[in-house]
Amino acid sequence: MEAAGADLGYRGEQLGLPESGPGSIARPGRRLGALAVDWSLCVLIAYGLITDGYGQATSNWALLIFLVLSILTVGTLGFTPGKRLFGLRVVQVGTGQVHPGRALLRSVLLCLAVPALIWDRDGRGLHDRLAGTVEIRL
């Protein structure tokens, strides 16, 4: 972007995060990989334990399981199983921790999907901006 006359800095600079390595903003590939792992886990649980067959009911249950999984694990540990596997953690901007209330808001907005598809220049989804959180590398 500097060639266009504007130096916007690197992703996360405005948040006080490093440019790369531990503590830097998580890249989209890792985030999507973690989401795929978490969603697959939730579909497997819904399919095997609740609906005993794949259909619309399985997807609905999987979304509910995903919501509960996200609220409980991000609100307490800062990561879901998929995020941990991909070396990611959700933290509150400025504190490095995550408050359970923020994890609840973030998870609900993430399940709505649209806020997660709107990103800012730092690569944070609208769900993260509204919750005051950021997904970083471990």
Side-chain angles (χ1 to χ4, degrees), residues 46-57:
Y47 177 83
L49 298 178
I50 300 172
T51 62
D52 197 32
Y54 191 78
Q56 184 61 43

Side-chain angles (χ1 to χ4, degrees), residues 66-79 103 107:
F66 180 83
L67 176 64
V68 171
L69 173 79
S70 184
I71 291 169
L72 293 178
T73 58
V74 171
T76 57
L77 303 171
F79 50 79
S107 299

Side-chain angles (χ1 to χ4, degrees), residues 1-2 6-21 23-25 27 120-123:
M1 284 298 211
E2 200 168 348
D7 181 15
L8 299 176
Y10 62 85
R11 295 163 141 238
E13 185 175 18
Q14 292 180 336
L15 302 173
L17 301 174
E19 187 172 359
S20 61
S24 65
I25 289 202
R27 299 289 184 213
D120 65 8
R121 69 173 230 50
D122 287 319

Side-chain angles (χ1 to χ4, degrees), residues 42-55 57-59 61 65:
C42 293
V43 168
L44 185 63
I45 292 169
Y47 177 83
L49 298 178
I50 300 172
T51 62
D52 197 32
Y54 191 78
T58 303
S59 295
W61 279 106
I65 293 167

Side-chain angles (χ1 to χ4, degrees), residues 48-110:
L49 298 178
I50 300 172
T51 62
D52 197 32
Y54 191 78
Q56 184 61 43
T58 303
S59 295
N60 292 341
W61 279 106
L63 185 60
L64 180 62
I65 293 167
F66 180 83
L67 176 64
V68 171
L69 173 79
S70 184
I71 291 169
L72 293 178
T73 58
V74 171
T76 57
L77 303 171
F79 50 79
T80 61
K83 288 183 192 337
R84 181 68 179 130
L85 184 67
F86 279 82
L88 305 176
R89 184 162 192 237
V90 176
V91 297
Q92 184 175 330
V93 175
T95 68
Q97 300 295 321
V98 134
H99 185 274
R102 290 185 186 273
L104 171 68
L105 176 61
R106 182 186 190 277
S107 299
V108 168
L109 291 170
L110 181 60

